[in-house]
Amino acid sequence: MGRLTGKVAIVTGGASGIGAATVRAMAHEGARVVLTDVQDALGEVVARETGSTFRHQDVASEAGWIELVDAVVKQHGRLDILVNNAGIFRGASIEDTDLDLWRAVLDVNLTGVMLGCKHAIRAMKDNPGGACGSIVNVSSITGFVGLANGAAYTASKGGVRLLTKSVAVHCARAYGKVRCNSVHPGAIDTPMNQAAFDASPDPAAIRAMFAGLQPIGRMTLPEEVAQAIVFLASDDASSVNGTELLVDGGWLAAPNPL
Ligand SMILES: NC(=O)c1ccc[n+]([C@@H]2O[C@H](COP(=O)([O-])OP(=O)(O)OC[C@H]3O[C@@H](n4cnc5c(N)ncnc54)[C@H](O)[C@@H]3O)[C@@H](O)[C@H]2O)c1
């Protein structure tokens, strides 16, 4: 029996990177997974490979969240896990941040997470057998420290870190067994970073520099982040609530991290 057998999970941004690795890990542990993304073709591939269901979703749309959660409860009868993983990065310092960029990043990375928490709780509190569930919000090391070339991104991830604690305290007091935690990846080897490397004059040099920022001397694999997410989603973490789990190879344990 897997660690998530009998559980129903939604993973946003499940077509790529950390999200796709999380879908694979959760399916392996016995969960019935619904993955969502704006990249339909990639999402369908992950769904086919893992025996999961893909649904198109823009996490910034509240109507989309209502439709998604209602459809999952209709199909599976319950919702046990939500992984708010979908995210975008736009490199810009505060001086280069215009309102369009700010709103685009905050809409996906913070408003999307807020909407996910709100509508998942609506389902989790009515689960057959009693209220229960685990929400895992994917923040970043930039939920702790500022990235000069990512003002909006840093603000969004800091917001996710503390929103998680508000949700955690509310759910614990109101529903007992509904939990919410955040995961904070460091330098992860995903398409999000590869796109940034490819845009630089020397992608190999930037990649090596990035790997060197983590004391473990390499980038972290998306599968390693997925295992941390599975732990928080599972009953093994039944008393872990409102916490922040760094998966950064020790990056933030070092002086002058960024
Ligand atoms: N890669 C890293 O080093 C790193 C570090 C810290 C935090 N993170 C966070 O981890 C999460 C996953 O990132 P990743 O590296 O796997 O990136 P990725 O680009 O490989 O995957 C992100 C996925 O989110 C999807 N997405 C984007 N906008 C969406 C929207 N509006 N609605 C639904 N889906 C949408 C994308 O299509 C993509 O499939 C993000 O929240 C990111 O900020 C990543």
Side-chain angles (χ1 to χ4, degrees), residues 64-248:
W65 271 109
I66 292 168
E67 198 184 313
L68 171 71
V69 170
D70 288 352
V72 170
V73 172
K74 191 168 178 211
Q75 185 184 358
H76 296 291
R78 57 186 303 114
L79 176 63
D80 300 285
I81 297 163
L82 168 65
V83 184
N84 277 312
N85 164 77
I88 58 173
F89 177 79
R90 298 285 181 271
S93 75
I94 184 63
E95 292 192 80
D96 296 328
T97 299
D98 61 30
L99 259 185
D100 284 347
L101 183 149
W102 176 263
R103 286 183 176 135
V105 172
L106 271 286
D107 274 359
V108 177
N109 292 9
L110 183 55
T111 305
V113 173
M114 179 278 289
L115 292 171
C117 292
K118 178 179 172 182
H119 291 288
I121 292 163
R122 183 166 60 80
M124 289 173 173
K125 71 184 183 189
D126 288 336
N127 268 336
C132 64
S134 175
I135 299 171
V136 183
N137 294 330
V138 180
S139 175
S140 163
I141 58 164
T142 62
F144 290 85
V145 293
L147 180 64
N149 191 40
Y153 187 78
T154 301
S156 71
K157 294 302 186 179
V160 168
R161 178 174 163 221
L162 286 183
L163 170 65
T164 298
K165 295 185 195 307
S166 174
V167 172
V169 175
H170 167 74
C171 287
R173 289 189 178 146
Y175 307 116
K177 288 187 181 172
V178 178
R179 300 180 292 109
C180 185
N181 293 286
S182 56
V183 166
H184 299 261
I188 318 301
D189 202 350
T190 70
M192 181 183 274
N193 279 325
Q194 191 57 49
F197 300 156
D198 290 344
S200 76
D202 188 347
I206 297 281
R207 170 177 271 278
M209 183 277 291
F210 208 52
L213 290 169
Q214 298 203 136
I216 58 173
R218 62 173 177 85
M219 291 179 77
T220 293
L221 299 174
E223 290 75 16
E224 295 175 286
V225 184
Q227 288 306 321
I229 294 172
V230 166
F231 165 68
L232 291 172
S234 76
D235 293 341
D236 290 346
S238 53
S239 196
V240 183
N241 191 34
T243 198
E244 43 209 21
L245 181 50
L246 282 158
V247 187
D248 69 345

